[in-house]
Amino acid sequence: MPNEIVAMLVTTFLLFPTTDAVLHGNVYTHKDTWPSPAIGSPLRPQRPSLELQEMLAEIDPERIEHTVTTLVGFRTRHTLSTQESSTEGIGAARDWIYHTMKANAGTSDGTVDVYLNSYIQEAAEFYPFSVNVSNVVTQVNGTVDPSRAYVVTAHYDSRRLDLMDFTGDAPGADDDATGVAVVMELARVMTKRKPKATVVFAATAGEEQGYQGASGSAHLARTLRHAGYDVQGNWNNDIVGTGKNTPFSAVNDFIVRVFGASIYYPNTSSAQLREQYSVFGDWNDSPAHNLGRFIREIAAGAARALRMRVELVYRPDRMGRGGDHYSFLAEGFPAVRFTESVEDFAHQHQDPRVENGVQFGDLLEFVDFEYTTRVARTNLASMWSAANAPSTPRNVGISMSVGALASNRSARVEDLSNKSQFCWATGHDSLAVGYELVWRPSGSLDWTHYLNVGHRGTVTVDLPKDDLQFGVRAVGKNNMKSPAVLPVPIDSC
Ligand SMILES: *[C@@H]1O[C@H](CO)[C@@H](O)[C@H](O)[C@H]1NC(C)=O
Ligand SMILES: *[C@@H]1O[C@H](CO)[C@@H](O)[C@H](O)[C@H]1NC(C)=O
Ligand SMILES: *[C@@H]1O[C@H](CO)[C@@H](O)[C@H](O)[C@H]1NC(C)=O
Ligand SMILES: *[C@@H]1O[C@H](CO)[C@@H](O)[C@H](O)[C@H]1NC(C)=O
Ligand SMILES: *[C@@H]1O[C@H](CO)[C@@H](O)[C@H](O)[C@H]1NC(C)=O
Ligand SMILES: [Zn+2]
């Protein structure tokens, strides 16, 4: 590109940040990486297939508006509210979601299940009496790999400032009718298609009362684990309707935050794994981080259709807060949380009221349905891409005897290299036609380079493992790539 055009673009970006500039930001533009890579190619985000582009166009902002409006109309969706009424309370919301999911799946050819995943929550903290907690679920079984699953969640319960007030108005428009609208739109569009792995769409209850263990999502994650599903991702959408009166700018309106936990949260991984992460400096390479990177890359590759940039935040959630993805992390599944770029605390958990001319409350009027539509498309692009790609590779190791010190005098000088060697299992996944090694300088957070190594289970590269972070990912026939996997240090390949 001629210099004057570059200069013009830079000026344009600085003076008038265009949507394109915002979307592309500084993703994948590392120029001065250290150490200088001698091999591989700069990573280019994978592009959306034609089928995926068609599906993205089917996401309907009017249906999203209708879902959020209908859910707000139930007055409260508090988990302890009535389940006896057909017009208000959480029972009415549950039944409406169920019947709508059923109707939306009706045009599919009987390959879709719509069901309630319920349990009785006994009296406990924040549950003064026992209550039937029901998740409403649509499931499409994978055509090739049905036991591998991807789960999108959002909670349909709502709350007021007083968590125990289950009778007052709790509209919960942004938190989290918007997330439920995302889940229901994805279900509607995907039930008409045939994903290779299983996709699960769940509206959950009990999130506000007890996201740690005593919640619908905890029951769902346990149910899926007990049923033997290999859940390779949870997309949790909670507060995804950036309000029209929040202090958002043209930039924030085209950004969604994705929170990804390190291996240290929650404290459930084995002591050995935690030690590996701390000794080898892998705190930015958890399965949740690699799922988040995957979502960010898909969004960058489909930026034109999505008009949304994913900002990956390297913490489990906003500080001191949490949500349904914690339930999936607790079962050992990679899980991330989508939340709007800027929250407005005057319109979250607040009792609806006007004070000194200020309107408080999580009301419909503060939701931007176009924003929620972009969030839905970002979810759809990444979830569909994962569900049609091969599984993440298994048994990925990095050899500690290649590129290592000599232990005696008979080691030959030509073997004393800085090389890195990797190996992984092959043959168990009919979808994998090849593998890629990806890497980045240790101080960067996005993958910067990749090397396609073909359909084999090992590769040795002239790159120093001390200065780079690596991942291995599988590549499918359709050139769809799995999220990357962090290699475990092993004695030798
Ligand atoms: C989907 O898979 C589950 C688990 O194997 C099975 O119980 C269910 O009947 C399947 N649904 C359809 C529609 O095939
Ligand atoms: C909870 O309520 C749902 C909806 O009425 C019902 O289908 C389910 O059987 C109930 N669950 C239990 C455990 O009672
Ligand atoms: C985390 O787990 C380790 C053992 O794996 C334990 O020693 C430590 O007390 C735990 N920390 C917390 C905060 O639970
Ligand atoms: C010397 O070290 C190499 C590895 O560095 C090892 O393969 C070899 O067995 C060692 N030889 C002796 C005699 O210990
Ligand atoms: C190790 O890497 C450095 C630069 O990163 C290079 O100068 C040196 O030649 C390498 N050593 C071997 C044995 O390849
Ligand atoms: Zn919420």
Side-chain angles (χ1 to χ4, degrees):
M1 191 179 289
N3 282 340
E4 53 276 25
I5 296 184
V6 174
M8 192 191 79
L9 288 177
V10 168
T11 314
T12 309
F13 175 75
L14 291 177
L15 297 179
F16 313 102
T18 62
T19 305
D20 265 15
V22 171
L23 292 172
H24 293 104
N26 56 3
V27 189
Y28 308 114
T29 57
H30 299 268
K31 290 196 181 77
D32 306 313
T33 53
W34 177 91
S36 183
I39 61 165
S41 313
L43 192 137
R44 296 266 172 266
Q46 53 179 303
R47 297 284 172 189
S49 66
L50 272 181
E51 183 181 29
L52 175 53
Q53 290 175 42
E54 280 169 26
M55 293 168 76
L56 292 171
E58 287 169 26
I59 295 281
D60 179 358
E62 282 178 19
R63 281 175 200 265
I64 284 175
E65 176 168 0
H66 179 65
T67 297
V68 178
T69 308
T70 306
L71 289 173
V72 167
F74 295 117
R75 212 176 56 73
T76 175
R77 305 186 306 279
H78 194 288
T79 299
L80 302 168
S81 64
T82 180
Q83 300 191 15
E84 305 304 322
S85 164
S86 62
T87 55
E88 62 180 66
I90 192 158
R94 173 200 63 209
D95 292 347
W96 180 79
I97 296 168
Y98 178 81
H99 291 302
T100 308
M101 280 186 170
K102 267 275 196 222
N104 287 343
T107 49
S108 63
D109 51 5
T111 58
V112 179
D113 294 307
V114 177
Y115 56 93
L116 293 183
N117 168 248
S118 307
Y119 79 106
I120 301 297
Q121 171 64 50
E122 298 303 338
E125 195 184 8
F126 308 127
Y127 291 93
F129 45 83
S130 75
V131 61
N132 178 335
V133 175
S134 290
N135 304 313
V136 194
V137 185
T138 296
Q139 176 169 336
V140 185
N141 290 344
T143 54
V144 176
D145 202 353
S147 65
R148 171 160 54 101
Y150 300 90
V151 186
V152 60
T153 49
H155 68 90
Y156 68 96
D157 61 314
S158 63
R159 66 167 289 177
R160 288 165 63 84
L161 284 172
D162 174 2
L163 179 58
M164 305 312 285
D165 177 355
F166 55 86
T167 55
D169 284 4
D174 194 352
D175 183 12
D176 184 26
T178 56
V180 175
V182 167
V183 165
M184 292 176 73
E185 262 309 90
L186 259 64
R188 188 182 67 82
V189 171
M190 282 204 220
T191 47
K192 298 178 178 60
R193 314 280 169 155
K194 303 246 175 293
K196 294 189 167 61
T198 295
V199 284
V200 177
F201 312 87
T204 66
E207 192 273 349
E208 301 289 9
Q209 298 316 111
Y211 57 81
Q212 286 181 335
S215 62
S217 61
H219 180 67
L220 177 64
R222 273 194 301 269
T223 306
L224 292 169
R225 184 169 55 77
H226 289 151
Y229 284 101
D230 174 14
V231 177
Q232 293 198 1
N234 167 228
W235 281 241
N236 183 37
N237 287 267
D238 197 348
I239 312 174
V240 288
T242 281
K244 289 183 173 115
N245 84 335
T246 56
F248 77 90
S249 70
V251 174
N252 289 331
D253 212 18
F254 296 95
I255 287 174
V256 63
R257 290 181 291 171
V258 171
F259 291 85
S262 80
I263 193 74
Y264 300 107
Y265 188 89
N267 195 9
T268 49
S269 44
S270 71
Q272 196 188 353
L273 197 58
R274 295 163 68 83
E275 188 183 334
Q276 179 211 316
Y277 271 66
S278 56
V279 168
F280 293 92
D282 294 333
W283 35 74
N284 290 319
D285 288 84
S286 71
H289 288 156
N290 276 329
L291 176 62
R293 282 192 181 98
F294 173 84
I295 294 169
R296 182 165 153 80
E297 180 181 334
I298 296 289
R304 238 163 250 293
L306 304 183
R307 302 174 62 74
M308 198 66 132
R309 190 170 99 204
V310 167
E311 282 302 339
L312 184 54
V313 185
Y314 287 75
R315 42 171 62 114
D317 206 319
R318 300 141 309 153
M319 293 183 80
R321 304 176 66 195
D324 282 339
H325 54 307
Y326 282 17
S327 301
F328 286 81
L329 290 170
E331 297 297 334
F333 301 139
V336 295
R337 175 192 181 120
F338 284 74
T339 295
E340 61 198 23
S341 50
V342 184
E343 287 167 273
D344 185 341
F345 297 136
H347 303 132
Q348 198 178 117
H349 295 188
Q350 283 280 0
D351 302 349
R353 67 193 188 284
V354 177
E355 247 175 51
N356 300 326
V358 177
Q359 176 73 63
F360 290 90
D362 189 351
L363 303 171
L364 202 55
E365 66 200 80
F366 302 119
V367 173
D368 174 355
F369 303 108
E370 293 294 333
Y371 181 87
T372 305
T373 301
R374 289 194 288 277
V375 174
R377 291 191 172 125
T378 306
N379 274 261
L380 186 139
S382 47
M383 193 178 174
W384 180 256
S385 298
N388 288 285
S391 163
T392 46
R394 291 185 200 158
N395 304 336
V396 182
I398 178 167
S399 169
M400 295 305 284
S401 55
V402 170
L405 288 165
S407 57
N408 59 57
R409 287 187 173 194
S410 55
R412 298 174 310 169
V413 69
E414 56 266 36
D415 291 337
L416 301 177
S417 72
N418 304 319
K419 288 181 180 162
S420 302
Q421 187 179 58
F422 305 86
C423 43
W424 55 90
T426 57
H428 57 274
D429 187 346
S430 63
L431 290 171
V433 298
Y435 297 88
E436 280 180 4
L437 182 71
V438 289
W439 65 90
R440 65 181 198 273
S442 180
S444 299
L445 287 171
D446 290 314
W447 300 124
T448 58
H449 289 80
Y450 78 101
L451 180 71
N452 190 319
V453 304
H455 195 252
R456 34 200 292 242
T458 184
V459 66
T460 305
V461 288
D462 203 356
L463 289 170
K465 61 182 175 307
D466 294 340
D467 313 319
L468 298 166
Q469 298 294 125
F470 290 97
V472 176
R473 61 189 190 182
V475 184
K477 286 197 185 79
N478 38 22
N479 205 32
M480 283 182 172
K481 291 150 195 191
S482 75
V485 175
L486 174 73
V488 176
I490 53 176
D491 289 345
S492 62
C493 273

